[in-house]
């Protein structure tokens, strides 16, 4: 099965199309020979979807059977993925140990799936979704759309079933501040849990900050963070460059023959 991506791109990327970067997620895409269509920055309906439909038409003309997946897989089909994930956590008895669920929200599908499943199962948990792009109004609208698709919009609203949190996306999608980079390194160094700069790093930073400054926003203190991935974003070079500049204290030189007298590894 062939795969193709519609990727938002800066003009500088288009000028360098013959040496398009191979870092982070794009590295995996290029390794499996994914077709990449560069598009200008803009909305899904106005910019991305028209290009996806054009590409689908081209592929259909070649005898292919294309299937269009929207941003984040956030549609009626993708919705069931996290509804099923919620049911799986219930079957494991996991949710009995928590009062709240927190996750990152970048396209709305994961948040909608968990929130709707939480509601349909009569669960006492409270679901929070931390925006890593756009704003809460946009994502509440997506949850409302999904409620309407499931014919639930007449009995409950998006704001009743999920707390969508603004204030932690920084300057925008994929733009990460120094304090979030430092936080990511701190978490991985102390726990072994790897967060990424675009999604989970911002969301966990927001969760911890809210627990300290807005504890009343939570139903309790037993909070489950759902790690939704994005890990390959940690390998796009930005985090590595930062660590190269700041972590030299954990690198010691024992290359000499008299290594027994070399400086010890810092604690």
């Amino acid at each position: 099965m062939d795969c193709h991506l519609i990727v938002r791109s800066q003009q500088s990327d288009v000028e360098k199309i013959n040496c398009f970067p191979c870092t982070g997620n794009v590295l995996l895409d290029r390794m499996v020979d994914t077709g990449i269509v560069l598009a200008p920055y803009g909305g899904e309906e106005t910019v991305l979807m028209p290009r996806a439909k054009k590409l689908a038409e081209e592929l259909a003309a070649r005898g292919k059977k294309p299937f269009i997946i929207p941003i984040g897989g956030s549609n009626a089909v993708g919705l069931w993925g996290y509804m099923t994930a919620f049911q799986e956590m219930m079957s494991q008895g996991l949710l009995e140990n928590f009062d709240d669920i927190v996750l990152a929200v970048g396209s709305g599908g994961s948040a909608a799936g968990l929130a709707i499943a939480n509601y349909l199962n009569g669960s006492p948990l409270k679901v929070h979704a931390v925006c890593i792009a756009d704003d809460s109004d946009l994502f509440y609208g997506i949850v409302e759309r999904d409620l309407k698709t499931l014919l639930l919009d007449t009995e409950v609203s998006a704001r009743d079933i999920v707390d969508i949190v603004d204030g932690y996306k920084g300057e925008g999608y994929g733009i990460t501040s120094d304090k979030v980079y430092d936080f990511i390194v701190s978490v991985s160094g102390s726990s072994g849990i790897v967060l990424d700069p675009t999604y989970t790093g911002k969301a966990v930073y927001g969760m911890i900050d809210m627990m300290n400054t807005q504890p009343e926003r939570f139903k309790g203190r037993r909070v489950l963070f759902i790690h939704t991935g994005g890990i390959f974003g940690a390998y796009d070079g930005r985090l590595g460059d930062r660590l190269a500049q700041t972590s030299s204290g954990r690198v010691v030189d024992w290359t000499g023959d008299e290594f027994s007298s070399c400086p010890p590894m810092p604690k």
Side-chain angles (χ1 to χ4, degrees), residues 123-142:
S123 167
L125 294 169
K126 184 175 181 179
V127 178
H128 312 262
V130 181
C131 294
I132 55 83
D134 298 302
D135 57 44
S136 58
D137 287 340
L138 174 71
F139 295 121
Y140 278 127
I142 290 172

Side-chain angles (χ1 to χ4, degrees), residues 23 48 53-54 60 80 111-112 118 125 147 162 167 169-170 172 194 203 212 227 235 248:
T23 58
L48 301 181
K53 291 178 179 178
K54 178 182 184 299
W80 292 99
N118 187 53
L125 294 169
L147 286 170
V162 60
K169 70 176 181 180
V194 180
N212 290 328
H227 195 308
Y235 304 106
S248 59

Side-chain angles (χ1 to χ4, degrees), residues 19-58:
C19 54
F20 194 69
C22 289
T23 58
N25 292 336
V26 179
L27 172 61
L28 293 179
D29 300 329
R30 297 293 296 275
M31 287 177 66
V32 296
D33 198 29
T34 299
I36 297 176
V37 173
L38 302 182
Y41 275 85
E44 180 174 11
E45 294 302 321
T46 59
V47 173
L48 301 181
M49 196 54 69
R51 287 165 171 79
K53 291 178 179 178
K54 178 182 184 299
L55 178 58
E57 291 171 358
E58 287 186 5

Side-chain angles (χ1 to χ4, degrees), residues 185-265:
V185 173
S186 174
V187 170
S188 59
S190 61
S191 68
I193 297 172
V194 180
L195 306 175
D196 76 282
T198 300
Y199 300 97
T200 55
K202 291 182 178 181
V204 175
Y205 180 89
M207 176 184 70
I208 298 299
D209 184 65
M210 286 192 297
M211 292 179 71
N212 290 328
T213 62
Q214 304 176 59
E216 69 282 356
R217 197 159 188 162
F218 294 85
K219 188 169 184 179
R221 297 298 289 178
R222 302 181 302 165
V223 180
L224 172 65
F225 181 79
I226 305 292
H227 195 308
T228 50
I231 189 63
F232 294 103
Y235 304 106
D236 65 3
R238 295 176 296 169
L239 188 56
D241 290 343
R242 184 169 182 81
L243 284 171
Q245 298 172 10
T246 60
S247 55
S248 59
R250 292 286 289 170
V251 179
V252 295
D253 181 8
W254 287 5
T255 59
D257 292 336
E258 301 297 328
F259 65 88
S260 60
S261 60
C262 291
M265 174 62 71

